[in-house]
Amino acid sequence: MASKPILILAGILCTVLEHSTATDESSVEYSRDLSQILCSGAMHSCIVNSTSLVCWGQRDLGNCDPPFGYYRAVSCGSWHTCSISVTDEISCFGSGYALQSKPPSEPVRQVSAGFASTCAIRRSDSSLVCWGFSDEINNLAPAGPFKAVSVGTRSACAIREGDSGIECWGADEFGQVSKRPQEGAFAAISCGGAHCCALTDGGRPA
């Protein structure tokens, strides 16, 4: 039973790619990474269909109402959503009570929306920029450079460029910072409320 939703999602992804009319090379490259084009928040989900952004679920806070544009990536926070256009600009929409829906105006490579904070990787130098509710996330972000980032509730983790090691920062009440893997190379990372999981370069969970 657990594999059924994965097969359904994979089917949706294959349909999107097969009928994609995107001609921008970078948008096609990003569309192959499922984690960058499909996301779920507390009570909503979004997907990048070719370069269009489609969201559904509870929409009381506007978290399912993206501005018109052409997109290559999306990340769902609990009650807000952030997306990256094909020109690397961030758009955030939904709950903004903690300024998490007011992103910086600079090109980015990747974005991760958490509970009430968001982080992105700058296109210019692969450093981090974070904003929103949690000062522990916003003010303690390491220098980088990084190639991937994921934000939880009061902590976040990122994968370094070069050695592909993991850096984590923020609240550590459940060991989400101090118990991170100290060695090894990693290909992907995802943080929940107060925990994170990562995949090694060999595809094994850590």
Side-chain angles (χ1 to χ4, degrees), residues 81-160:
T81 307
C82 291
S83 55
I84 304 177
S85 72
V86 294
T87 56
D88 295 337
E89 298 171 310
I90 303 177
S91 295
C92 294
F93 47 97
S95 174
Y97 75 95
L99 302 180
Q100 73 269 32
S101 291
K102 295 186 177 181
S105 56
E106 56 186 307
V108 300
R109 296 173 53 191
Q110 190 218 330
V111 65
S112 176
F115 171 70
S117 293
T118 306
C119 291
I121 299 176
R122 293 183 174 96
R123 171 65 69 184
S124 58
D125 58 3
S126 297
S127 65
L128 291 167
V129 55
C130 300
W131 65 95
F133 172 76
S134 176
D135 288 339
E136 295 157 307
I137 293 176
N138 302 341
N139 299 334
L140 298 176
F146 295 101
K147 61 182 180 178
V149 64
S150 185
V151 180
T153 298
R154 294 174 53 224
S155 60
C157 292
I159 300 177
R160 294 189 297 265

Side-chain angles (χ1 to χ4, degrees), residues 140-195:
L140 298 176
F146 295 101
K147 61 182 180 178
V149 64
S150 185
V151 180
T153 298
R154 294 174 53 224
S155 60
C157 292
I159 300 177
R160 294 189 297 265
E161 286 190 348
D163 66 354
S164 296
I166 291 177
E167 295 276 356
C168 297
W169 67 97
D172 193 36
E173 65 267 48
F174 300 105
Q176 61 266 44
V177 173
S178 59
K179 293 183 180 179
R180 71 188 186 279
Q182 301 292 328
E183 299 178 353
F186 296 87
I189 191 161
S190 180
C191 294
H195 71 287

